[in-house]
Amino acid sequence: MKPDIHPDYHTIKVVMTNGTEFVTRSTWGSEGDTMNLDIDPSSHPAWTGGAQQLVDRGGRVSRFNSKFGGLSFGKK
């Protein structure tokens, strides 16, 4: 392996959205930094099975539904 091409691998503290913390090793930040998560497995609907909400920015979802809303794709 080539010397001095790999990033520094050190310990950081990760704080989840519910306030729980754990220490892990990472290449993110510097030794002893704290990473505060905005989304994590305890709160994200993909892992919790919660309902999904579509955010309609600029009317994109409405335009899509008005254009393709009548398609059935073989469903009866």
Side-chain angles (χ1 to χ4, degrees), residues 13-32:
K13 180 170 66 170
V14 179
V15 180
M16 309 270 272
T17 57
N18 63 1
T20 58
E21 305 174 347
F22 64 94
V23 176
T24 188
R25 293 178 50 92
S26 175
T27 59
W28 178 86
S30 302
E31 178 76 31

Side-chain angles (χ1 to χ4, degrees), residues 48-71:
T48 60
Q52 180 181 6
Q53 285 185 329
L54 289 175
V55 178
D56 192 0
R57 296 199 172 131
R60 291 180 181 156
V61 174
S62 334
R63 278 185 280 157
F64 179 86
N65 287 337
S66 66
K67 193 172 192 180
F68 300 108
L71 296 177

